[in-house]
Amino acid sequence: MKVDQRHATSQLISGYIIDNLRDPKFEVTPAFVIAEMQKLHGLDIGYHKVWHAIQLASALIRGTPEENYELLSSYLYIMRSKNPRTYTNIKIDDDNRFLYMFYAYGLSISGWNHCRPVIAVDATFLKSKFRGVLIISVSKDANNQIFPLAFGIAESENKNSYEWYFSKLRNAIGSRENLIFLSDRHQDIAYGIAKVFPVDSWRSRVEEEGITFLVDLNKRTCDCFQFQFDELPCIQAIAAIEKRNIKKSNFCSHWYLKESWLKTYERQIHPVGHTDSWIVPQNVKSQIVKPPDFKVPLGRRQKKRHIPATESSKITFKCG
């Protein structure tokens, strides 16, 4: 811009930070890059230029999001070939645009048979270019440690996405007697579970402080009327479930034995390796998945125009 000032483009900055990005133990943030460029070269660089430099360097290492969506079918094929019994599924629309994805490793599917029949489900927001949510299902092993079960990606938390996710979860792991789901009481999670994992038909009477409650899990009703209104089990329904489970099992469950713990981790997960080593059939390569039809929401409207350094600001004086 000027002979007495030194400047750096985003592409030049990306060359300085690409080695740091390759290190998985190193977190490259805009604040770190700004401080490094100031310390090494005495340059004051803005946040947006640094952010763009990080995106350029990441694309050189990992590819662009658009390129990675095209490789998604091949990636899941290699995942299944390297890890037998792995279950994967992708749903796309009529224009081949990504909608949902699900995968459960073979280790998780086989190990789940030796974990207690409890599944916790939750989702977290993704901060990538095309956003979306990551749905996670976990259980607990005999040592009371979290056991990863399955993962899914959807555009948002809604009834359609959760019904699709739980249908694939059931295809992968099946269903078990006295299966219990834990969640943050999200209504869409409850809807998906009720659609795919129906409650067994049975009635029970629960006594609490001398009062008897009639619970019908098949009709999703209870004397307190909370069950049918909220579509979630009330306190009496939960007590009925616990009462039934205690009657049908002893107090020394095999889910907590050392033998069950060892069988949970009999298998292992194998990495897919670099794309250069992949051997993928042509019919899988031809299954191109396009990125989802997502538009970045507009930010806060700018009140004042940014004046470039080469343009002098004009001040208008008016007579009072």
Side-chain angles (χ1 to χ4, degrees), residues 246-294:
I246 291 175
K247 285 184 177 180
K248 299 185 68 174
S249 61
N250 55 40
F251 293 98
C252 186
S253 174
H254 65 280
W255 304 124
Y256 300 91
L257 298 180
K258 179 181 178 181
E259 290 74 17
S260 298
W261 181 55
L262 294 175
K263 290 180 180 178
T264 303
Y265 300 98
E266 280 182 336
R267 305 176 65 178
Q268 54 185 311
I269 296 177
H270 300 278
V272 297
H274 196 271
T275 54
D276 294 340
S277 63
W278 292 0
I279 301 177
V280 183
Q282 187 58 38
N283 62 328
V284 177
K285 289 183 178 180
S286 60
Q287 299 173 5
I288 302 299
V289 179
K290 299 179 182 178
D293 188 12
F294 174 80

Side-chain angles (χ1 to χ4, degrees), residues 70-301:
E70 293 181 1
L71 291 173
L72 192 54
S73 297
S74 299
Y75 174 81
L76 295 181
Y77 173 84
I78 296 297
M79 179 191 293
R80 295 192 301 270
S81 62
K82 296 276 189 178
N83 301 272
R85 290 193 61 190
T86 294
Y87 181 86
T88 67
N89 201 293
I90 303 178
K91 184 176 181 179
I92 57 178
D93 61 13
D94 296 336
D95 296 327
N96 292 333
R97 292 197 174 275
F98 177 89
L99 291 177
Y100 310 130
M101 186 183 78
F102 176 94
Y103 69 92
Y105 280 105
L107 176 144
S108 298
I109 296 174
S110 61
W112 156 245
N113 296 320
H114 307 286
C115 294
R116 67 196 76 173
V118 177
I119 298 177
V121 184
D122 201 358
T124 184
F125 293 102
L126 297 173
K127 297 181 179 180
S128 60
K129 179 178 180 180
F130 297 100
R131 307 295 174 88
V133 294
L134 173 65
I135 305 173
I136 306 171
S137 297
V138 300
S139 185
K140 280 199 171 184
D141 61 18
N143 197 35
N144 208 35
Q145 303 299 310
I146 293 177
F147 180 77
L149 192 56
F151 302 88
I153 294 178
E155 78 281 4
S156 63
E157 292 186 273
N158 54 59
K159 291 183 178 180
N160 292 333
S161 61
Y162 272 117
E163 183 179 355
W164 186 89
Y165 174 82
F166 284 115
S167 67
K168 302 311 171 187
L169 179 64
R170 182 162 186 169
N171 291 343
I173 67 173
S175 184
R176 286 163 58 179
E177 186 180 5
N178 300 327
L179 180 60
I180 297 175
F181 284 91
L182 304 176
S183 72
D184 57 356
R185 294 178 63 89
H186 196 291
Q187 294 294 330
D188 294 332
I189 296 179
Y191 172 86
I193 294 173
K195 280 285 188 179
V196 181
F197 294 90
V199 182
D200 294 336
S201 174
W202 59 277
R203 297 167 65 91
S204 177
R205 290 183 178 271
V206 183
E207 292 188 4
E208 183 178 345
E209 298 181 356
I211 303 176
T212 301
F213 298 92
L214 183 63
V215 179
D216 190 331
L217 289 186
N218 185 41
K219 296 181 179 178
R220 305 177 69 82
T221 60
C222 183
D223 287 349
C224 68
F225 299 105
Q226 177 186 342
F227 202 176
Q228 56 265 42
F229 290 157
D230 295 343
E231 296 185 358
L232 293 171
C234 59
I235 297 176
Q236 288 76 34
I238 294 174
I241 295 173
E242 294 176 347
K243 179 181 178 182
R244 182 177 185 238
N245 291 342
I246 291 175
K247 285 184 177 180
K248 299 185 68 174
S249 61
N250 55 40
F251 293 98
C252 186
S253 174
H254 65 280
W255 304 124
Y256 300 91
L257 298 180
K258 179 181 178 181
E259 290 74 17
S260 298
W261 181 55
L262 294 175
K263 290 180 180 178
T264 303
Y265 300 98
E266 280 182 336
R267 305 176 65 178
Q268 54 185 311
I269 296 177
H270 300 278
V272 297
H274 196 271
T275 54
D276 294 340
S277 63
W278 292 0
I279 301 177
V280 183
Q282 187 58 38
N283 62 328
V284 177
K285 289 183 178 180
S286 60
Q287 299 173 5
I288 302 299
V289 179
K290 299 179 182 178
D293 188 12
F294 174 80
K295 294 181 180 180
V296 179
L298 297 175
R300 184 179 299 176
R301 179 176 294 179

